[in-house]
Amino acid sequence: MKQITILVPHGAVLGSIEGPRLVFSEVNQLLQRLGKPPLFRVQLVGLTPETPVCGGLYSIRTEQLIGDVDRTDLVIIPAVDGDLGRALEVNRDFLPWIIRQYRQGAEVASLCLGAFLLAATGLIDGQQCTTHWAAAHYFRAMFPQVQLVEDRLITDEHGIYSSGGAFSYLNLVLYLIEKYVGRDMAVTCAKVFQIDIERVSQSAFIIFQGQKEHGDEPIKRIQTYIEDNYQEKLTVDQLADRLALGRRNLERRFKKATANSVVEYIQRVKIEAAKNRLETSPDNVNEVMYHVGYADPKAFRVAFKRITGLSPKQYREKYGRERVPA
């Protein structure tokens, strides 16, 4: 029987504890209905017998403390909420235990903002990880040694897994069920819990808000200029001239401050404006394209698909105010 240890950090998000527990428990019940023995032993493990979660609105009674668990097969790190620096501090005693379990052969999976606790162990230095897109900038600032891939829904490297934002942790749970039990069981669980099993990206959900949580004021001014003038044909040389900087110097400082090149930033601002117009206006795709400063339909569609994972038409059908009836 595979032992699954769901950690209960202080300030955890309740759904990312109960969701995996419920799905793995359902697998056991489905196996028993087929005349097979249950495969998983799921336990909630914490630092204290009772742990406040969701800002203290709920309290979870843990089944064991980490000091009582010598070995496990899978460690699940749920999402935490509130101040992430504070969350790391109050849950720091989990870190050496997670490291020890991994070195003893356990796999480790982080859900959403649980990636911050995972990264704090040092186990994913130099590796890929994903988390909620809204926390991407904070993650990069706190853990520059980790390769954040914010558009990915799931990462899987060397027995360590991570999932994207919010309820996308369910896709990681299905991924693990397929690995441990098989494709048929994963599909059955997807149907029971009505989860879109084929999702591989969270790109379509990302709301680009600019990355201004940095101290480079001239770069912030250029970001604001891009956002105010996205309908224009903007060039890197033109922007460099506004700051009286060389092109290479601007590119270097911009990338360091925002994690995007200047061209990538311009494209993301334009595509975000296009998304908003597709959601709220009756304009056709070409009208939207011209409104955000594109003249080449192919270039617009390629950029849109690369950033959102959807074509403009698919995006409107999915998120437009005037939904196409099923």
Side-chain angles (χ1 to χ4, degrees), residues 35-109:
K36 299 178 181 180
L39 183 61
F40 303 117
R41 179 173 181 265
V42 185
Q43 56 180 354
L44 304 182
V45 176
L47 298 173
T48 54
E50 289 202 8
T51 304
V53 298
C54 295
L57 289 174
Y58 304 95
S59 182
I60 293 181
R61 185 176 302 160
T62 53
E63 297 167 274
Q64 285 187 293
L65 304 182
I66 58 170
D68 301 325
V69 180
D70 293 326
R71 282 186 174 274
T72 190
D73 296 302
L74 174 66
V75 178
I76 294 181
I77 307 172
V80 290
D81 63 4
D83 183 283
L84 293 169
R86 171 68 178 161
L88 291 180
E89 186 60 36
V90 298
N91 292 295
R92 189 158 296 280
D93 288 345
F94 278 119
L95 304 184
W97 183 87
I98 295 170
I99 295 168
R100 185 171 71 252
Q101 293 301 320
Y102 181 68
R103 289 175 177 168
Q104 291 176 171
E107 296 187 308
V108 181

Side-chain angles (χ1 to χ4, degrees), residues 16-30:
S16 64
I17 295 173
E18 175 58 11
R21 189 202 67 81
L22 187 62
V23 177
F24 282 114
S25 298
E26 179 67 18
V27 171
N28 282 342
Q29 294 179 31
L30 290 169

Side-chain angles (χ1 to χ4, degrees), residues 87-235:
L88 291 180
E89 186 60 36
V90 298
N91 292 295
R92 189 158 296 280
D93 288 345
F94 278 119
L95 304 184
W97 183 87
I98 295 170
I99 295 168
R100 185 171 71 252
Q101 293 301 320
Y102 181 68
R103 289 175 177 168
Q104 291 176 171
E107 296 187 308
V108 181
S110 71
L111 312 181
C112 188
L113 297 180
F116 282 76
L117 279 174
L118 172 60
T121 65
L123 292 174
I124 55 172
D125 288 358
Q127 295 183 201
Q128 291 188 342
C129 180
T130 189
T131 188
H132 198 297
W133 56 263
H137 184 80
Y138 300 104
F139 188 94
R140 286 193 180 96
M142 293 177 72
F143 306 106
Q145 68 277 20
V146 178
Q147 184 184 350
L148 183 66
V149 282
E150 64 187 281
D151 60 324
R152 294 272 293 279
L153 200 70
I154 294 170
T155 63
D156 173 356
E157 287 198 63
H158 310 295
I160 298 180
Y161 312 90
S162 65
S163 70
F167 294 103
S168 64
Y169 70 79
L170 291 169
N171 291 89
L172 177 54
V173 173
L174 289 184
Y175 181 85
L176 293 171
I177 288 170
E178 181 171 353
K179 177 178 179 179
Y180 297 149
V181 188
R183 175 72 176 178
D184 289 348
M185 182 59 73
V187 169
T188 299
C189 286
K191 292 178 178 178
V192 170
F193 292 99
Q194 300 187 43
I195 306 166
D196 182 1
I197 195 172
E198 295 304 329
R199 280 179 57 201
V200 296
S201 171
Q202 57 180 344
S203 294
F205 302 98
I206 294 175
I207 302 172
F208 185 66
Q209 300 169 314
Q211 300 105 332
K212 296 191 178 72
E213 298 84 1
H214 58 81
D216 195 331
E217 293 302 323
I219 296 302
K220 285 183 184 179
R221 292 201 300 273
I222 286 298
Q223 290 176 267
T224 300
Y225 181 83
I226 293 170
E227 291 157 11
D228 291 343
N229 297 276
Y230 66 85
Q231 294 169 300
E232 306 297 326
K233 181 175 175 57
L234 301 172
T235 68

